[in-house]
Amino acid sequence: MMRDISDPIIKVDSHEKISGVAIYVSDIDIPGMLHARTIRSTIPKGKIKSISIPELPKGYHKIDYRDIPGNNFVKIIFDDQPVFPIDKVTYIGEPILLLVGPDKEVLLELS
């Protein structure tokens, strides 16, 4: 028998989430783990003339299109969505590069 669409459904993990004991990805800390901060476009469309980031401390790195081995595209419908843009951005929030390092607080200060 079908249930009424308005009947509430109790989710398997609701108690853990409501009580605050659920573990999320951001709660996991593995020794030697690196964190990443995505630097995104703040404009809807434009040509990338330069990207200015502060000098990175030891152990921190910038990852951009030059670091993608092989094809720099993700297939959505066609192979037309770049992982990281090369010379232009096409929407607000488009990922331009990653800053990677051992301390996520430092990454937040860098960008």
Side-chain angles (χ1 to χ4, degrees):
M1 184 164 104
M2 292 187 66
R3 294 174 47 178
D4 189 315
I5 195 168
S6 63
D7 287 346
I9 298 173
I10 298 174
K11 299 192 179 195
V12 176
D13 59 352
S14 63
H15 177 72
E16 288 83 9
K17 289 180 177 178
I18 293 169
S19 65
V21 298
I23 297 174
Y24 295 89
V25 171
S26 61
D27 298 324
I28 299 171
D29 188 20
I30 300 169
M33 180 169 74
L34 296 177
H35 300 273
R37 172 85 190 258
T38 305
I39 305 302
R40 299 178 179 275
S41 170
T42 58
I43 60 171
K45 189 172 250 192
K47 184 174 182 174
I48 299 173
K49 294 182 179 181
S50 67
I51 299 173
S52 177
I53 59 171
E55 187 171 337
L56 299 175
K58 184 177 180 179
Y60 291 80
H61 306 279
K62 173 189 74 146
I63 309 294
D64 65 11
Y65 70 91
R66 292 174 284 242
D67 299 299
I68 304 297
N71 196 351
N72 181 35
F73 290 95
V74 176
K75 185 171 187 169
I76 303 298
I77 295 175
F78 303 105
D79 288 341
D80 62 349
Q81 181 68 41
V83 176
F84 296 118
I86 296 172
D87 58 358
K88 63 182 176 181
V89 293
T90 57
Y91 61 92
I92 293 175
E94 181 173 2
I96 297 173
L97 59 86
L98 294 177
L99 296 179
V100 179
D103 187 336
K104 63 181 167 183
E105 297 302 321
V106 172
L107 289 172
L108 291 172
E109 293 171 8
L110 286 171
S111 52

